[in-house]
Amino acid sequence: MSDTAPDLKPGERITDSLFFALYPDAAAAARIAELAARLRIEHRLKARAISADRLHVTLLYLGAFAGVPADVVAQACTAACRIASPPVELVLDRIGSFAGRRAKRPLVLSGDVAEPLGALEHTLGPALEAAGIALKRHPRFT
């Protein structure tokens, strides 16, 4: 798998992205949605907030594909089942945007990476790589 996109056959287009993520519980998602609504009003932001059920922290990006590749999903699930992690609590106390060339630069909540979260990312990454999954990793986990 390449770092940007898979080898596509003629006529294929990228339709799916695979990644490991942590999702907030319902109460945290509701608080985040409320905060987003308040910030949009206070700062007259025009962009819509994403729905609460899509809020997540991406741990590792597996790639973009033309369809969901069952083999990659199976390899990733097998690798992830081999690791254990204590519960992870996050404090997201800053708002910003990921810089890049994309026209849409989403507002994101961020915070310092707590030890359990960093340990999970550092354990999951090598497990996936050992299973033959090439990852697109940033030099610094944010």
Side-chain angles (χ1 to χ4, degrees), residues 10 25-26 52 58 71-72 84 97 109 114-115 118 122 126 132 134:
D25 61 31
T58 301
D71 59 333
V72 175
S97 179
L109 297 176
E115 180 55 33
H122 287 306

Side-chain angles (χ1 to χ4, degrees), residues 47-127:
R48 286 187 328 201
I50 65 169
S51 61
D53 64 331
R54 294 189 62 212
L55 296 170
H56 67 277
V57 173
T58 301
L59 290 175
L60 292 165
Y61 180 67
L62 280 66
F65 302 90
V68 177
D71 59 333
V72 175
V73 171
Q75 287 175 291
C77 288
T78 299
C81 286
R82 293 187 180 129
I83 66 169
S85 173
V88 174
E89 185 172 309
L90 303 176
V91 175
L92 303 173
D93 56 2
R94 293 185 291 277
I95 190 167
S97 179
F98 287 133
R101 294 180 292 193
R102 292 176 26 180
K104 293 181 180 180
R105 292 176 42 182
L107 291 177
V108 296
L109 297 176
S110 65
D112 296 323
V113 177
E115 180 55 33
L117 179 61
L120 175 58
E121 191 266 346
H122 287 306
T123 303
L124 181 58

